[in-house]
Amino acid sequence: MSKNPTAPMTSLTQWLWPLAVVALLGLQVWFPDLGDDILHDTFSNTAEGKRAFFRLVTEYAEYADRNQQPLTRALPDGVGQTLCILGPQRWPADAEWDAILDWVSNGGQLVFACRGDTERSIPRLNIRYLPRSGNPNDSLPPETDLVSQDTTAWWTDGRLLAPEGDEVLSYDGAPQVVVQKLGRGHVVVSASPLIFSNQLLTYGDNPALAYRLLELAGDVWAVTFDESLNKTGTPKTVALLFDEELRPITLQLMLLLVLYGWWNSQRFGPLLPVAAAPRHNIVEHADALGVAYWRQPSGEVVLKYYVAALKGSLSRLGGVPRGAALALAAERLHRPAIELEEQLAAAEKATLRSRLDRRTTAKIIRRLAPIWQALRGRRKA
């Protein structure tokens, strides 16, 4: 169907809409990584990122992967033997903590690193994270038996309170890493995620220290790094529509919108024939008016308009009196003027009737028509 027959099919519009359709169909198969504002996850190569530690674990563990599904859905069977949550962007919700700790109670191994300047607590473990006040001193070595203290560095913005846990590392007299048993599993909590960062792993024995902290939870065999708390921890507006779950629906809606725009901006197929001419001939108008009058049951209205038009023509004939105008018409018709006067008077009398049949109306108009023709001929002369 033609939506805009007069719109030209330019070369730009001819290819723009089809290319948009092909691009949207291609995005259903492959979608580029839009990235995010998280600089401390295992995908990041920045100083605060943990990509180097992920690759280190990949080298020594039998299996290592990342989890981006909600923890309540991924646990208990969607993660490895050891779950690492290293400085998440968002603190786990109560339902997520319940899923994590239930999984640990059944034999799981959790390594959790705290971050931020807000006091937090881990339910069921009686472990609290307290941010440090003032300017921390980052030049001191950590106090631990895991590796040599002289060749390691430790940066932190907080400390731990864990009366039921075993302290394995402290800094400036404040507990930094504790190990606590829960059911058949173990939990390792760190007051800082920076030991696992790309920057600190380049210093001395810090890679060995980070790996020793991972081994405190148990055998390092299958390790899963959780990224779901980072993924859902940043505010999103439009980018939310392009998340993995909503992306197919968003792309399909965009495809429908592009198809609708293409349909309304281009012409498909040949031009449609014009249904009606933009202007009608005056003869067609006269025929239509005659048919409308013929369909009326009475003709006195038509006769009244015709007589009024004839009398107006008599009065406009060069400013001469009505009698003189009729005399001129009678002379041209070769008829007595009194006869024309009688015909006009009879027509005026007929217009006063309340009902006049169409046949009588047509007869009177045919008698008056020569007078009008004679007057028009006189005016043309």
Side-chain angles (χ1 to χ4, degrees):
M1 179 180 292
S2 175
K3 298 298 293 182
N4 190 4
T6 61
M9 182 73 76
T10 63
S11 58
L12 178 61
T13 57
Q14 183 179 5
W15 293 103
L16 179 62
W17 296 104
L19 288 176
V21 172
V22 172
L24 288 173
L25 291 176
L27 289 176
Q28 295 279 4
V29 181
W30 175 84
F31 196 85
D33 185 11
L34 298 179
D36 48 38
D37 297 330
I38 304 298
L39 302 178
H40 53 80
D41 57 10
T42 58
F43 297 97
S44 176
N45 291 319
T46 62
E48 196 177 356
K50 303 174 182 64
R51 184 182 182 91
F53 184 66
F54 175 79
R55 298 189 62 179
L56 175 65
V57 174
T58 304
E59 289 290 330
Y60 291 95
E62 294 291 334
Y63 175 79
D65 66 343
R66 299 180 177 96
N67 170 62
Q68 301 189 63
Q69 298 296 322
L71 288 172
T72 53
R73 185 190 308 172
L75 294 170
D77 300 325
V79 299
Q81 182 184 8
T82 303
L83 176 63
C84 293
I85 306 177
L86 307 179
Q89 180 72 17
R90 177 177 63 84
W91 191 261
D94 293 341
E96 292 169 328
W97 272 124
D98 290 338
I100 294 171
L101 298 179
D102 288 343
W103 171 76
V104 173
S105 298
N106 293 324
Q109 301 170 175
L110 173 66
V111 178
F112 188 90
C114 305
R115 69 183 298 268
D117 54 1
T118 303
E119 180 178 339
R120 301 290 189 179
S121 61
I122 301 177
R124 296 164 55 179
L125 293 180
N126 195 18
I127 298 178
R128 295 173 59 191
Y129 167 75
L130 302 176
R132 297 175 63 182
S133 59
N135 296 323
N137 185 5
D138 294 332
S139 61
L140 299 176
E143 301 169 5
T144 181
D145 295 332
L146 299 176
V147 293
S148 175
Q149 301 179 16
D150 297 332
T151 56
T152 55
W154 187 269
W155 296 343
T156 182
D157 292 328
R159 59 190 178 91
L160 298 177
L161 290 180
E164 302 177 10
D166 298 329
E167 180 181 332
V168 296
L169 188 146
S170 63
Y171 184 81
D172 198 13
Q176 294 295 306
V177 179
V178 296
V179 181
Q180 186 167 329
K181 184 175 176 60
L182 179 64
R184 294 188 289 115
H186 291 83
V187 177
V188 178
V189 181
S190 172
S192 173
L194 296 177
I195 186 60
F196 307 101
S197 65
N198 298 331
Q199 184 175 5
L200 276 187
L201 287 181
T202 62
Y203 180 80
D205 288 336
N206 277 11
L209 176 59
Y211 200 82
R212 292 291 185 270
L213 296 180
L214 183 63
E215 291 179 327
L216 290 176
D219 295 334
V220 180
W221 179 70
V223 182
T224 298
F225 291 83
D226 179 69
E227 297 294 346
S228 65
L229 297 177
N230 290 326
K231 181 179 179 181
T232 60
T234 55
K236 297 179 180 180
T237 52
V238 178
L240 181 63
L241 299 176
F242 293 99
D243 278 349
E244 187 176 356
E245 293 79 7
L246 297 178
R247 186 187 306 159
I249 299 177
T250 302
L251 292 177
Q252 291 176 23
L253 291 177
M254 292 178 61
L255 179 60
L256 292 177
L257 183 62
V258 169
L259 290 175
Y260 180 77
W262 188 10
W263 174 49
N264 280 271
S265 64
Q266 301 294 326
R267 175 175 60 82
F268 290 87
L271 291 172
L272 293 177
V274 179
R279 301 180 63 181
H280 295 280
N281 193 295
I282 188 63
V283 177
E284 296 178 359
H285 174 74
D287 291 342
L289 183 62
V291 171
Y293 281 137
W294 176 256
R295 291 177 178 176
Q296 291 184 353
S298 181
E300 68 275 1
V301 177
V302 179
L303 182 60
K304 181 179 180 181
Y305 287 148
Y306 191 89
V307 171
L310 179 58
K311 291 168 66 177
S313 179
L314 290 173
S315 63
R316 291 193 300 270
L317 187 62
V320 298
R322 172 177 170 176
L326 284 175
L328 293 175
E331 181 181 356
R332 185 170 182 81
L333 294 174
H334 306 290
R335 294 170 57 186
I338 188 63
E339 182 179 347
L340 300 184
E341 286 277 3
E342 293 177 351
Q343 290 181 359
L344 184 58
E348 292 178 343
K349 185 178 180 180
T351 58
L352 301 177
R353 298 182 186 179
S354 59
R355 189 174 185 82
L356 188 65
D357 62 278
R358 293 175 296 187
R359 188 178 298 277
T360 303
T361 302
K363 183 184 296 185
I364 296 175
I365 291 177
R366 280 197 298 269
R367 290 177 180 176
L368 295 178
I371 300 176
W372 198 325
Q373 295 175 358
L375 291 174
R376 292 179 63 186
R378 179 69 180 122
R379 289 172 61 185
K380 293 179 181 179

